[in-house]
Amino acid sequence: MIELRGITFTPPDSSEHVLKDVDLTVEEGELLLVSGPTGSGKSTLLGVLAGLVPRFSGGVLEGDLMLDGASIVRTPPRERAGIIGYVGQDPVAGFVTDTVEEELAYGMEQLGLPPATMRRRVEETLDLLGIAELRQRSLRTLSGGQQQRVAIGSVLTTHPRVVVLDEPTSALDPTAAEDVLATITRLVHDLGTSVVLAEHRLERVVPFADRIALLVGDGSVAVGDPGDVLEDSPVVPPLVELGRELGWSPLPLTVRDARRKARALGYPVNRVSLNLSGNATPERCRKSLRSSGLTVTRGRTPVLHDVSIDLPAGRVTALMGRNGSGKSTLLWTLQGTQKRLAGSVDVGGKDPAILDPEERRTLVGLLPQTAADLLYLETVAEECDAGGPRTREILDSLVPGIPDDQHPRDLSEGQRLALALALILSADPPIVLLDEPTRGLDYAAKHALAAILRDLTDAGKAVLVATHDVEFVAEAADDVVVLADGEVVSAGDVRSVTAESPAFAPQVSKVFGPGWLSVREVVEAVGEG
Amino acid sequence: MSTLVREAAVARLPRDLHPVAWWVWAIGLAAYASFTTNPLLLLLLVGVAAVVVAARRGEQPWARAFRLYVGLALFIVATRVLFRVLLGAVPGHVLVDLPEIPLPEWVLGIRLLGPLTREALLAGLYDGMRLGVIVICVGAANALANPKRLLRSLPPALYEIGTAVVVAVTVLPQLAESVQRVRAAQRLRAGATGRVKRLRRFLVPVLEDALERSMALAAGMDTRGYGRTAGVPVATRRVTSALMLVSLVGLCAGVYAVLDGTTPGWLAASMLVLGVGAAAVGLRLAGRRVTRTVYRPDRWRWPEVVVALSGVLVAAAGWWVARDQVPVAFPGVSAAPEVTLTALAGVLVGLVPAVAAPVPSSSLVPEEAVA
């Protein structure tokens, strides 16, 4: 239906092709997953479909884009609106109106549909997405998952033939992500809409994909069935990694597949019981940070209610919970910037809340959600100079080989994160807090981040990471604290917490039972058995 | 007959009244206020506006703005009176005998302080009240009608401007949020502490963020069809441009002629009519280019007519009182102001919307807790 023919894209001020001679056909009613490492051109490919590249990005686009045999490569995005629906990475940034109903109608108003049709389609879409009770709500008061569903709904009302989604679940907690993905599969099944979707966290979307377009990084693209493409893809979900390690063929794509396979092949994994208490009980560790009874209110609504959390030295603690459950607020409260109504924080006998910013930095380091907020200079070298004498040294130990003269904005997601982290670590705080650092990172960057955190804890620091990424938690964390509605609902060793709540269980533990966390563990156990 | 009654009742079921109707009503009250300095009538106008707002405002954030406008009005009155005290010099009954501050010769005609008279105080009060009441009327319109919905009622040709205004209004709170975030983030790292460099430290991320957001919004709007236009023949486009030019020239000349007393009246009137007429036709033609439709358009039914008419009547009454009952409209400061039945009745017509307008729909839906 939609066909890319020899698409080549060269970004402005560059001679390297991000996309090179890409041929791709999007078929009627399929879910096409676009995957690949960070910076391999996933967003660019989606932008070409929507018409935003090169119109909004600059650069040179060659090749042709055909819709039912007619070229639309020169058609501006607004003229493609009725055929191709596009939802960007941050749904909130794309909202034009302020209530759910008006937002759903906006696209139809632009197309000039008659009011009766608009009325009907708004109702249909509200039901399709299961958000009928939100119709009058202001868009700002919705949760992340609801906002994402409204954003998808707002392009659906024009009845597009293709819906293009750029990382629709990257900012969402596991449950909200499942809701959004259920909505997307419903589109494909019930309406026959084609969906083109880019996503980093393959474990979430691979089970739903009909085909995968894999961008390897050199501009070329490999398209095919998920099983075939993932055979030798540089980015794979843990299940596929497991299948590869154990030599399974075909590769398991869903947890159900893998479970049946493991049982059929008679792996003794279920009988291997791991020591659930973990390698070191937290009680024995020295506490770097103690806090108790933390209560924070916004207006009259409590954001945190009587939260007590201790961070042991030398351990990584993961902070999990729904969007809006108070994770960021807790980090800022521990750091001291957020004023608390009650409770105490104690870092080596001092309370960061009553210190000035300079002293605070030497006690608690916090990497905020948007790491770019920290950066303001033109080159990496200038940033390092401004950050303090040891910043460059730290940066090189985190991610070696970032050139001095590069602009911080041009760094990859992972490099920029490392730069911001280096700026914070230059004050050498014993406590390091990170707010959603895994957003936008591919598997390789996440492994690198996990290694960095491990180095920090080996140096005796206490680390607290707020994240939605269960696979990252399984890999990097020692302990988990789960927040819900501003209260701690479970806390403890990562194995016991993931064993208790299936929503936070990584894929491996879904296959082999509670207690198993990583592919490596399983492979080792199988090797021994 | 009974179907008519039923239809009339349907129009009064809870719904949001057309914003233009509220604005016509509010402008009517403001016009009355501008025609008089009688404090009793002005207070009555405030009362009327307050009663209608209390009876018919919704639960949305803008509905709470009325109190702000009342505060602003009080501030205006206070400043006006203060200036009268400072630059007094109205002969009459002395209340407080303040010493006059001597000024050099060259500031002729200006006196600082000096004996404070009752007349000076009253003149300042009346004057300030007139301005204050006009402000309150605007506040009432803002509290009753969603400002964004008002923009949706613009003629199609002005739609783009309306959208730009709406977007600007939405972006402001986002900018404030971004400022707060960056300020907190910059405190987390070491860096320049000099005055200029600190400003840069803070401005660069905020501006980058704002730019990124606007690009994302522009991309979002474009992919959803904003700015689609229908093909219009070249001839029509030329006619539209010509009409717009004529209307601009006509309006400029007309306004100049009205303000400049020496120009003959017929010239002023004819230029104004020409300008307005050309603008109307031009907008109509330009609107053909726009293909968009409106979801759930605000409909103009009898309550709208009644509300708007009440505003027009109030304004007419004000104009009539100012012309035929000069002592009532502009009472002297030496005696207690008087009112007549017609002047009072004229103001009270403004109360009609408190009953005639339907209850706003939002007052039935309790606003859910902000997440």
Side-chain angles (χ1 to χ4, degrees):
Chain A
M1 180 183 56
I2 289 194
E3 212 183 326
L4 284 85
R5 278 194 200 154
I7 288 284
T8 299
F9 177 70
T10 323
D13 312 322
S14 165
S15 53
E16 266 177 62
H17 304 301
V18 172
L19 300 174
K20 193 155 188 270
D21 274 329
V22 170
D23 292 308
L24 178 68
T25 311
V26 180
E27 272 146 29
E28 204 90 43
E30 74 165 346
L31 200 158
L32 177 69
L33 172 62
V34 179
S35 111
T38 348
S40 59
K42 296 191 292 294
S43 292
T44 310
L45 184 65
L46 300 192
V48 170
L49 284 175
L52 297 174
V53 173
R55 216 165 270 269
F56 278 78
S57 64
V60 183
L61 180 73
E62 291 155 81
D64 208 353
L65 180 68
M66 317 284 280
L67 172 75
D68 295 333
S71 169
I72 55 165
V73 75
R74 303 265 162 252
T75 316
R78 51 183 169 274
E79 302 296 333
R80 299 184 199 182
I83 304 152
I84 299 171
Y86 172 83
V87 181
Q89 277 187 10
D90 180 7
V92 185
F95 286 151
V96 189
T97 61
D98 31 35
T99 66
V100 172
E101 225 179 327
E102 284 172 19
E103 189 65 24
L104 291 181
Y106 181 80
M108 295 189 285
E109 288 184 335
Q110 307 308 314
L111 300 189
L113 296 178
T117 315
M118 287 203 261
R119 194 79 186 75
R120 198 185 64 235
R121 287 196 187 171
V122 165
E123 293 308 316
E124 284 167 0
T125 313
L126 284 171
D127 281 340
L128 180 75
L129 303 179
I131 49 173
E133 72 284 358
L134 304 176
R135 61 189 316 151
Q136 300 262 340
R137 285 274 295 272
S138 154
L139 292 168
R140 282 164 181 285
T141 63
L142 301 180
S143 73
Q146 290 167 338
Q147 283 173 336
Q148 188 69 43
R149 275 188 282 167
V150 172
I152 294 174
S154 68
V155 304
L156 283 184
T157 47
T158 57
H159 286 192
R161 294 171 60 190
V162 187
V163 175
V164 178
L165 303 164
D166 199 352
E167 301 205 14
T169 68
S170 66
L172 303 183
D173 60 71
T175 322
E178 267 165 37
D179 283 348
V180 169
L181 285 169
T183 306
I184 294 171
T185 35
R186 208 160 157 200
L187 295 184
V188 180
H189 280 286
D190 297 359
L191 305 182
T193 316
S194 307
V195 174
V196 181
L197 175 101
E199 187 60 68
H200 270 306
R201 279 192 237 172
L202 295 178
E203 64 270 15
R204 283 179 173 175
V205 285
V206 161
F208 304 105
D210 293 312
R211 289 194 305 157
I212 294 187
L214 178 71
L215 293 152
V216 212
D218 60 353
S220 66
V221 59
V223 195
D225 281 333
D228 301 337
V229 173
L230 290 175
E231 232 21 283
D232 38 24
S233 153
V235 282
V236 287
L239 271 189
V240 174
E241 199 184 329
L242 182 81
R244 277 191 197 165
E245 294 280 345
L246 300 179
W248 290 354
S249 178
L251 290 170
L253 298 179
T254 64
V255 170
R256 216 166 58 190
D257 274 358
R259 223 181 260 153
R260 285 165 45 127
K261 198 138 213 164
R263 227 167 267 149
L265 293 175
Y267 279 110
V269 281
N270 255 340
R271 274 174 273 140
V272 180
S273 70
L274 284 160
N275 178 15
L276 277 185
S277 60
N279 39 5
T281 43
E283 285 71 31
R284 269 190 273 142
C285 297
R286 185 173 55 86
K287 300 283 192 300
S288 292
L289 180 147
R290 288 169 187 279
S291 67
S292 64
L294 295 177
T295 303
V296 174
T297 55
R298 187 169 299 133
R300 292 183 61 198
T301 38
V303 189
L304 288 181
H305 188 248
D306 201 14
V307 173
S308 302
I309 181 172
D310 293 341
L311 300 181
R315 284 177 81 87
V316 177
T317 310
L319 183 61
M320 304 192 77
R322 254 174 249 127
N323 297 81
S325 59
K327 297 189 297 295
S328 291
T329 313
L330 178 58
L331 294 190
W332 284 98
T333 311
L334 293 178
Q335 192 268 340
T337 300
Q338 170 71 50
K339 299 272 167 286
R340 52 182 195 257
L341 192 71
S344 65
V345 178
D346 174 3
V347 185
K350 290 185 197 160
D351 178 2
I354 54 170
L355 300 177
D356 60 17
E358 266 105 282
E359 281 181 272
R360 218 180 263 165
R361 281 203 288 272
T362 62
L363 277 191
V364 185
L366 170 65
L367 184 70
Q369 210 165 61
T370 21
D373 286 349
L374 284 175
L375 311 173
Y376 68 102
L377 292 165
E378 263 113 60
T379 65
V380 172
E382 283 179 47
E383 289 283 5
C384 289
D385 285 346
R390 287 187 54 235
T391 312
R392 182 73 223 189
E393 204 181 303
I394 298 170
L395 179 62
D396 284 333
S397 70
L398 296 180
V399 178
I402 299 179
D404 260 341
D405 56 347
Q406 196 151 13
H407 196 288
R409 290 265 146 187
D410 296 334
L411 296 175
S412 79
E413 210 71 53
Q415 289 173 326
R416 192 155 56 226
L417 195 74
L419 176 58
L421 191 57
L423 287 168
I424 281 156
L425 292 178
S426 74
D428 198 26
I431 316 284
V432 182
L433 314 172
L434 299 98
D435 198 354
E436 299 265 354
T438 55
R439 216 168 155 175
L441 298 188
D442 57 15
Y443 291 100
K446 274 191 246 179
H447 290 316
L449 179 64
I452 289 174
L453 297 187
R454 192 50 62 204
D455 286 346
L456 290 177
T457 51
D458 287 347
K461 294 185 193 301
V463 177
L464 180 65
V465 194
T467 180
H468 290 312
D469 196 322
V470 290
E471 303 296 338
F472 179 74
V473 170
E475 183 187 352
D478 302 307
D479 302 309
V480 179
V481 173
V482 181
L483 275 188
D485 254 352
E487 290 175 13
V488 175
V489 289
S490 64
D493 180 60
V494 61
R495 283 182 209 284
S496 46
V497 172
T498 52
E500 277 164 13
S501 28
F504 298 121
Q507 284 193 313
V508 171
S509 100
K510 280 180 183 156
V511 175
F512 293 113
W516 296 94
L517 289 179
S518 71
V519 174
R520 190 178 38 82
E521 274 174 8
V522 174
V523 173
E524 277 169 13
V526 168
E528 283 163 16
Chain B
M1 194 60 209
S2 68
T3 52
L4 250 181
V5 172
R6 241 175 271 153
E7 262 174 42
V10 165
R12 284 204 64 234
L13 287 176
R15 68 188 174 95
D16 290 328
L17 199 78
H18 199 294
V20 171
W22 281 127
W23 277 92
V24 170
W25 168 81
I27 290 170
L29 291 192
Y32 195 119
S34 73
F35 283 131
T36 177
T37 57
N38 188 326
L40 299 175
L41 291 175
L42 288 173
L43 280 178
L44 194 63
L45 278 168
V46 174
V48 166
V51 165
V52 174
V53 167
R56 287 296 180 261
R57 76 168 158 194
E59 294 290 319
Q60 293 89 344
W62 62 83
R64 289 167 217 145
F66 188 61
R67 211 182 297 167
L68 268 177
Y69 283 90
V70 174
L72 181 64
L74 287 177
F75 174 75
I76 288 172
V77 174
T79 349
R80 201 72 185 205
V81 171
L82 187 75
F83 268 94
R84 280 293 174 148
V85 173
L86 279 178
L87 310 167
V90 177
H93 304 72
V94 176
L95 288 180
V96 190
D97 200 1
L98 294 171
E100 192 181 330
I101 296 173
L103 289 176
E105 271 303 304
W106 47 269
V107 278
L108 284 172
I110 295 180
R111 267 177 50 180
L112 211 51
L113 289 178
L116 173 63
T117 60
R118 194 178 70 196
E119 283 73 12
L121 215 55
L122 283 179
L125 188 67
Y126 290 3
D127 234 29
M129 278 176 74
R130 175 154 73 164
L131 198 58
V133 172
I134 294 176
V135 168
I136 286 180
C137 291
V138 173
N142 257 322
L144 289 165
N146 183 348
K148 287 191 181 178
R149 277 194 93 81
L150 180 69
L151 287 169
R152 292 180 61 174
S153 322
L154 285 177
L158 298 179
Y159 169 71
E160 266 96 358
I161 298 171
T163 311
V165 173
V166 170
V167 167
V169 169
T170 352
V171 160
L172 270 180
Q174 284 177 1
L175 199 66
E177 194 184 290
S178 159
V179 165
Q180 230 173 9
R181 217 186 55 223
V182 168
R183 194 141 70 192
Q186 284 292 339
R187 288 212 191 110
L188 299 171
R189 61 165 287 187
T193 45
R195 183 173 287 208
V196 178
K197 286 196 175 154
R198 214 170 51 204
L199 190 69
R200 172 178 177 193
R201 221 178 131 172
F202 164 73
L203 271 184
V204 171
V206 170
L207 290 179
E208 269 172 359
D209 194 50
L211 200 65
E212 257 163 40
R213 272 176 204 259
S214 19
M215 284 304 280
L217 181 62
M221 288 170 73
D222 205 349
T223 51
R224 286 166 67 192
Y226 175 75
R228 275 164 88 107
T229 48
V232 173
V234 183
T236 322
R237 273 212 310 263
R238 288 209 182 118
V239 172
T240 313
S241 314
L243 277 170
M244 284 309 188
L245 268 180
V246 170
S247 80
L248 261 184
V249 172
L251 282 176
C252 286
V255 169
Y256 179 79
V258 167
L259 294 180
D260 175 32
T262 57
T263 325
W266 63 266
L267 183 67
S270 60
M271 284 314 267
L272 270 184
V273 167
L274 177 76
V276 171
V281 179
L283 282 179
R284 177 127 228 166
L285 276 180
R288 277 201 205 155
R289 193 174 53 87
V290 179
T291 50
R292 67 183 275 284
T293 46
V294 179
Y295 174 70
R296 290 215 196 174
D298 291 307
R299 279 166 62 193
W300 193 269
R301 291 194 264 196
W302 72 262
E304 273 87 355
V305 176
V306 172
V307 169
L309 209 60
S310 72
V312 172
L313 280 178
V314 171
W319 175 77
W320 182 79
V321 169
R323 212 189 50 157
D324 278 22
Q325 304 184 342
V326 181
V328 174
F330 303 102
V333 282
S334 46
E338 286 171 15
V339 288
T340 55
L341 198 61
T342 40
L344 281 178
V347 178
L348 289 175
V349 170
L351 274 178
V352 170
V355 188
V359 179
S361 56
S362 63
S363 66
L364 297 177
V365 188
E367 185 91 333
E368 276 157 275
V370 172

